[in-house]
Amino acid sequence: MAIAYVSSNVAAGATVNKPASTAVGDVLLIAVHAFHSADAAVTGFTVVKSHDVAGAGVARVTVLKRVADGSEGATFTATGGTVVRTAIARFTGVDSAVTEGTPTDAAGLSGGGCGLPANSTVAVQAALVGLSAGGD
């Protein structure tokens, strides 16, 4: 089965709804943008990568991962600092037994853009996921 992005939700604040029709085995990625110097946390999720977005110790985006097992509730709440925005994406067809590659930081740009680094080591049936955050 091919890896596919299925759906997502975005929330202003710390609590985001689980994507509709989430099934056992789906991979959920949450991105949390918070004013804090430490990684955000979401119960049942593990940190994949975090990145300071407004200077060290000012604001940070944390990306977390979970494989749905049917025990998760209808919402997820991020903790750690003042959470500005939380987004969740649902993927199907992911082999959850396969360890993800080494996450890498994007090249941040001011003025509304960001660049993802080149990647030449992608395996067959792999998916590259890019997440970005912005603020007012």
Side-chain angles (χ1 to χ4, degrees), residues 52 108 117:
D52 290 329

Side-chain angles (χ1 to χ4, degrees), residues 28-32 40-42 45-48 62-66:
L28 303 173
L29 292 179
I30 288 184
V32 180
V42 179
F45 285 74
T46 56
V47 173
V48 175
T62 306
V63 177
L64 305 101
K65 172 186 152 187
R66 174 185 179 125

Side-chain angles (χ1 to χ4, degrees), residues 2 6 24 26 28 31 39 43 46 70 93 100 123 125 128:
V6 181
V24 171
D26 289 352
L28 303 173
D39 292 344
T43 300
T46 56
E100 65 271 343
Q125 293 296 320
L128 296 176

